[in-house]
């Protein structure tokens, strides 16, 4: 059965929050695990508002050390301590974040109730995390300071068991795992039961590419090619392309151009400059080159289905 | 004429924010000036929501370096930079805050567009700020780490001009200031016009005492005596008095007891522990000893009138 793979948007504003929009943070929920991508100011409140359990987050990925992507982290860590967290927390980011957190801890005299392990990202394409079901790799962005996106990829799913096949051949529990992995089954009588009688094709592995702050670039095109869902920043509309270039950000049109070249199924736009009140032009502009473009805003959730 | 003297509540939760309550921050607006007392995570959004102009804040007072009282400061400073602020900003706090801000600036490579001057508070009763109309002094709290409250006191107001007296004696503009200060007026003919013919009694100078995190103490009673409005933390109800003591916080009953002893006109309660959903018991408990007790929550504004 397909596991839940859901992206929840906690913030979508670029640089500075507005009265209605928080800055960047997203939750990737895969089955029972929660991964936090960026952690802007107010993230802990947004998590509570969206009823996402703070204590269930064990891995946090910070794209870069501009305030609008990490300033909610000290507050989240303080709250996890106050909530009595014991489990180790892993934080992945460009170098420098541990120093920031340490100075907050030292000044307030706080000794956190849990261990925090900081992992410095060294380059794009680095395998940061993996478990039985999925892996998370860094993607090198092009920005004013070192910045990484993240690719969350489901591993090849196990084949789906055909109940009638299993019952017919009274297959023992200890053989189930190898059958799910595609192996044939040898009965006590020496008969070989081909795997296709016992299982059906699983869904294609799903993936999500989160491309945080970046100028338009095709340098990581290969890494995001074929992703089911691509989030790509779209800070500006084409009418402000010159500012986008100056500030190493992208326009909605550029995000859509990359989505098209990468052959993704769906593009999510975000990281809107506070100058835009109405966001509908972002969708319009992006859809002119890639119809499956969608603006996302805080409170939105997108399910990635196979 | 009495100048506007208004307290706006931006956050009222203790320790950790909830989905509905931000942690501590307040704005004192006096005439055209805005003073920020504490700056919890999300303060910049709260300022925008309450339509308080970020750029008009020139003085920020931080009571202590627990996260729930200062974690919104880096984000606010980043936003002021992005908004192109040029004017110097003054920040008053216990020692250590500059180090925290500096590490954020250094890591993000930010060179702010404005000068920030940090003033380390050394003791209670220190005059931190004064201008023509008011002064702000520190008040020493009793807490786990060094913590100060703030007393905002209006200076003795000028006397109110009687229009008919001014017209009758055709008093020149350059004499107005001394008359407002209480001096008599000498006419060209050498006649002395007593000040009481030209002015009326001004209102009594108003004051606001902000008592941030503290255990119950009468150590600063003298400093807050006679304040028009006292804000005193009330993290717990009496039923949790033991926890209040352990964590060096106060109960609603204790806040009210101090308000009564200090003979203030009105008590504002805040800094509620997240364990309480319904806050009405705080008011009930405090009013049992001091009837002019009021719970305040974010979005509330209290005008201090003479």
């Amino acid at each position: 059965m397909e596991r839940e793979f859901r992206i929840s948007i906690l913030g979508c504003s670029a640089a500075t929050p507005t009265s209605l929009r928080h800055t960047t943070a997203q939750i990737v929920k895969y089955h029972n695990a929660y991964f936090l991508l960026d952690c802007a100011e107010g993230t802990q409140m947004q998590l509570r508002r969206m009823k996402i359990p703070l204590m269930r987050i064990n891995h946090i990925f910070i794209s870069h050390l501009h305030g609008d992507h990490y300033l909610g982290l000290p507050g989240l860590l303080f709250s996890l301590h106050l909530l009595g967290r014991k489990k180790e927390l892993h934080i992945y980011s460009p170098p420098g974040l541990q120093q920031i957190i340490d100075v907050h801890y030292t000044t307030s005299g706080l000794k956190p109730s849990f261990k925090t392990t900081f992992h410095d990202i060294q380059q794009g394409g680095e395998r940061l995390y993996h478990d039985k079901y999925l892996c998370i790799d860094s993607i090198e962005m092009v920005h004013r300071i070192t910045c990484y996106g993240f690719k969350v990829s489901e591993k090849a799913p196990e084949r789906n068991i055909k109940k009638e096949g299993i019952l017919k051949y009274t297959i023992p529990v200890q053989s189930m795992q190898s059958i799910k992995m595609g192996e044939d089954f040898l009965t006590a009588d020496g008969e070989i039961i081909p795997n296709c009688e016992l299982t059906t094709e699983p869904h294609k592995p799903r993936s999500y590419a989160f491309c945080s702050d970046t100028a338009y670039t095709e340098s990581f095109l290969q890494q995001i090619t074929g992703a089911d869902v691509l989030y790509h920043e779209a800070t500006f509309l084409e009418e402000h392309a010159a500012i986008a270039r100056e500030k190493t950000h992208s326009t909605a049109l550029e995000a859509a151009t990359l989505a098209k070249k990468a052959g993704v199924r769906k593009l999510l736009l975000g990281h809107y400059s506070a100058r835009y009140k109405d966001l509908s032009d972002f969708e319009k502009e992006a859809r002119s080159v890639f119809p499956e473009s969608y603006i996302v805003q805080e409170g939105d959730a997108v399910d990635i289905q196979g």
Side-chain angles (χ1 to χ4, degrees), chain A:
Chain A
M1 212 187 71
E2 191 171 280
R3 292 188 168 80
E4 189 183 20
F5 191 176
R6 165 175 281 202
I7 314 304
S8 297
I9 310 297
L10 307 174
C12 64
S13 184
T16 177
T18 70
S19 59
L20 297 173
R21 293 184 213 146
H22 285 76
T23 39
T24 306
Q26 297 186 7
I27 281 282
V28 176
K29 183 183 183 203
Y30 184 88
H31 194 43
N32 290 322
Y34 294 83
F35 302 91
L36 178 60
L37 309 187
D38 279 342
C39 184
E41 183 175 356
T43 293
Q44 59 171 324
M45 280 90 102
Q46 293 292 85
L47 288 167
R48 289 179 199 269
R49 286 184 195 122
M50 291 184 75
K51 303 198 185 306
I52 295 167
L54 273 68
M55 292 288 253
R56 298 269 298 278
I57 299 168
N58 297 325
H59 299 271
I60 300 175
F61 300 80
I62 302 293
S63 64
H64 65 304
L65 299 183
H66 277 157
D68 56 327
H69 294 259
Y70 79 86
L71 280 180
L73 193 58
L76 177 59
L77 298 181
F78 282 17
S79 288
L80 291 176
H81 164 75
L82 289 166
L83 291 167
R85 183 187 177 95
K86 294 282 173 251
K87 195 165 180 182
E88 185 176 1
L89 181 73
H90 294 270
I91 302 178
Y92 310 79
S93 75
L97 187 57
Q98 180 166 10
Q99 191 194 350
I100 294 175
I101 299 303
D102 280 351
V103 75
H104 283 283
Y105 281 164
T106 308
T107 316
S108 64
L110 183 78
K111 288 192 181 29
S113 61
F114 57 95
K115 185 181 173 192
T116 308
T117 301
F118 289 87
H119 304 264
D120 285 351
I121 308 174
Q122 303 294 349
Q123 58 188 3
E126 194 177 328
R127 171 81 21 115
L128 304 174
Y129 170 87
H130 74 104
D131 63 21
K132 196 172 155 190
Y133 303 118
L134 83 175
C135 54
I136 303 181
D137 297 334
S138 62
I139 311 172
E140 192 170 355
M141 304 285 105
V142 173
H143 198 40
R144 296 194 300 284
I145 61 172
T146 305
C147 181
Y148 296 100
F150 304 105
K151 172 98 178 278
V152 184
S153 311
E154 196 174 32
K155 291 183 179 173
E158 295 163 349
R159 298 180 63 83
N160 299 311
I161 294 291
K162 278 186 193 172
K163 207 174 170 186
E164 60 280 17
I166 299 300
L167 291 174
K168 184 175 170 190
Y169 298 102
T170 54
I171 291 171
V173 172
Q174 60 269 31
S175 300
M176 293 294 275
Q177 193 54 37
S178 62
I179 291 172
K180 283 183 188 172
M181 301 300 285
E183 288 181 27
D184 297 337
F185 176 67
L186 186 69
T187 66
D189 305 336
E191 187 189 355
I192 292 173
I193 313 299
N195 190 277
C196 60
E197 269 196 49
L198 304 171
T199 68
T200 59
E201 196 71 26
H203 65 83
K204 182 179 149 285
R206 297 164 289 171
S207 64
Y208 175 58
F210 168 84
C211 294
S212 178
D213 295 18
T214 188
Y216 178 83
T217 176
E218 295 175 13
S219 59
F220 54 76
L221 184 60
Q222 200 186 354
Q223 229 186 327
I224 64 169
T225 290
D228 292 271
V229 177
L230 166 67
Y231 164 87
H232 194 290
E233 72 123 294
T235 312
F236 297 98
L237 292 170
E238 268 300 302
E239 61 177 311
H240 297 120
I243 310 176
R245 261 176 276 295
E246 182 202 332
K247 295 184 180 288
T248 60
H249 283 301
S250 303
T251 67
L253 193 81
E254 287 172 332
T257 303
L258 199 69
K260 189 180 179 184
K261 291 197 181 192
V264 303
R265 287 170 61 199
K266 188 185 268 194
L267 169 66
L268 309 181
L269 303 167
H271 201 265
Y272 318 108
S273 162
R275 78 187 62 205
Y276 305 106
K277 301 291 168 260
D278 174 18
L279 299 175
S280 60
D281 282 345
F282 282 82
E283 215 164 67
K284 210 181 293 172
E285 183 172 299
R287 287 184 181 179
S288 70
V289 294
F290 186 73
E292 283 299 308
S293 300
Y294 299 88
I295 51 167
V296 287
Q297 297 191 69
E298 56 196 73
D300 288 347
V302 177
D303 285 310
I304 304 183
Q305 284 157 337

